[in-house]
Amino acid sequence: MSVRVYIDGQEGTTGLKILERFEGRNDIEIIRISEEKRKDSAERARLINMSDYTFLCLPDAASVEAVSFVDNDRVRIIDASTAHRTNPQWAYGFPELSHEHREKIRTSNRVAVPGCYASGFNSIVYPLVKHGIIPEDYPVFAYATSGYSGAGKKAIAVYEGEDKPYEFNSPRQYALSQQHKHLPEMQKIPGLKYKPMFNPMVCDYFSGMVVSVPIQTRTLKDTVTAEQVQGMFAEHYRDAKMIEVMPLMSADEQKAFFLASNTLSGVNKMQIFVFGNDEQILLCSRLDNLGKGASGAAVQCLNIMMGIDETTGLV
């Protein structure tokens, strides 16, 4: 038996990727909106209420509006905007973080898909706080490199156009005011007392990202080694089907290793690395910003809500 799925914002990058992931699935019936009515509120409301599941791939204000269209308890919403990620009434769509997160996704009618940067960040910082390696008031700093596909259609057109500005050939730092839209969920989900500092960079490649969090162990109350941290991550994600905690490399292996940001482009998984030494530990999460950081995460949540194998259509 198939379920009816509507994607509000199906022409955006995430919406198109979700549609792509449904190709070949016979348990999904896609409800499509005609091109001329894509912004017609009445038609959108009608299709949302026809569906069993609706994906919202919209700007925040439009997403909030779309939720207001729901007129029955049957429709289950999966929101890929930032609008509801810190709303306690919504499930946070990162099932691997804990059993509680997974159960809330499974039973909820409202699921907020994490942001791509926040997915990488929370995959590292949530376990650090949960297992007591860093305290809630630790001054967390993170930096990240990402492909340009996450910047939206206009930016993609510039990067791929013939008149690409010279500066676009270089990694470009942004959100320098420390007001990045993912910061609220990067603070709330791990339970940090203070906002982390975050330094994202958009780079001249299509997709894939690495989010990095450095830890100076001398600032910690309790002594911890890189080996212990790697073991904690390996245990925390032991049953995760789409998160792989990588083995700890020797000092010589690390010297010869380069961590590329686009390795998982097109792959719906995440890798977590522990680098450095017992004095300075560098934690890195590698993922595809369009996959585990967006459309793949959304489809994974749908699968869990449907009660089927969460990897369906993703591996």
Side-chain angles (χ1 to χ4, degrees):
M1 182 177 178
S2 63
V3 298
R4 293 171 295 179
V5 171
Y6 172 58
I7 302 172
D8 200 1
Q10 63 191 32
E11 296 303 316
T13 304
T14 300
L16 289 171
K17 281 290 181 180
I18 290 172
L19 280 171
E20 186 179 302
R21 293 178 187 280
F22 287 152
E23 291 178 2
R25 287 186 61 166
N26 57 15
D27 58 344
I28 301 291
E29 176 189 343
I30 300 295
I31 300 172
R32 297 184 180 271
I33 192 168
S34 60
E35 178 64 27
E36 65 273 14
K37 291 190 174 183
R38 280 197 306 115
K39 298 185 179 181
D40 184 316
S41 295
E43 179 67 359
R44 289 168 55 215
R46 186 180 73 85
L47 297 182
I48 287 171
N49 287 291
M50 278 179 56
S51 75
D52 298 304
Y53 297 87
T54 284
F55 289 88
L56 304 180
C57 305
L58 303 164
D60 285 2
S63 174
V64 172
E65 178 190 43
V67 173
S68 73
F69 294 156
V70 180
D71 63 14
N72 64 78
D73 294 333
R74 179 183 54 78
V75 180
R76 306 180 78 180
I77 303 292
I78 302 170
D79 189 359
S81 77
T82 65
H84 299 101
R85 291 174 185 162
T86 58
N87 186 327
Q89 296 179 344
W90 286 63
Y92 190 69
F94 197 149
E96 293 92 348
L97 288 183
S98 70
H99 175 74
E100 291 74 19
H101 280 89
R102 180 178 295 276
E103 279 302 294
K104 192 169 182 179
I105 294 166
R106 186 181 66 82
T107 59
S108 179
N109 280 353
R110 302 287 182 268
V111 175
V113 180
C116 53
Y117 285 126
S119 293
F121 179 88
N122 288 332
S123 73
I124 294 170
V125 180
Y126 181 93
L128 289 176
V129 175
K130 182 177 179 65
H131 295 282
I133 290 177
I134 64 172
E136 295 175 357
D137 62 352
Y138 190 80
V140 178
F141 167 70
Y143 61 93
T145 52
S146 175
Y148 59 77
S149 57
K153 283 188 172 182
K154 290 183 179 179
I156 292 173
V158 174
Y159 269 101
E160 297 182 349
E162 294 182 358
D163 299 322
K164 182 175 70 173
Y166 174 74
E167 290 82 2
F168 280 51
N169 295 307
S170 165
R172 294 185 300 138
Q173 301 182 50
Y174 68 105
L176 300 175
S177 67
Q178 291 302 302
Q179 298 295 318
H180 193 279
K181 65 181 181 179
H182 290 180
L183 280 173
E185 64 186 291
M186 291 164 70
Q187 178 182 355
K188 179 181 176 61
I189 300 305
L192 296 175
K193 188 173 181 179
Y194 304 106
K195 278 195 314 182
M197 287 194 69
F198 181 48
N199 181 207
M201 289 164 268
V202 60
C203 308
D204 188 17
Y205 64 94
F206 184 69
S207 72
M209 65 170 37
V210 172
V211 180
S212 301
V213 177
I215 301 291
Q216 300 272 2
T217 60
R218 68 177 183 273
T219 66
L220 302 178
K221 179 181 178 181
D222 298 319
T223 301
V224 67
T225 67
E227 183 177 6
Q228 288 171 328
V229 172
Q230 193 277 341
M232 177 277 292
F233 280 115
E235 177 61 24
H236 186 87
Y237 291 115
R238 178 183 57 187
D239 298 323
K241 295 182 178 180
M242 287 179 281
I243 298 181
E244 181 181 12
V245 178
M246 309 304 288
L248 189 66
M249 297 181 186
S250 68
D252 286 341
E253 288 173 325
Q254 290 187 49
K255 286 179 183 178
F257 184 74
F258 288 80
L259 184 64
S261 298
N262 62 351
T263 304
L264 296 183
S265 179
V267 179
N268 196 72
K269 66 183 293 186
M270 176 184 287
Q271 294 172 326
I272 294 176
F273 297 83
V274 178
F275 295 117
N277 51 62
D278 293 346
E279 288 75 42
Q280 296 177 313
I281 300 175
L282 179 62
L283 305 168
C284 300
S285 179
R286 179 161 65 183
L287 64 154
D288 182 0
N289 55 294
L290 297 182
K292 189 71 173 96
S295 63
V299 173
Q300 182 182 1
C301 288
L302 170 74
N303 292 338
I304 292 171
M305 295 165 80
M306 290 176 61
I308 64 176
D309 186 333
E310 67 189 275
T311 67
T312 302
L314 298 174
V315 295

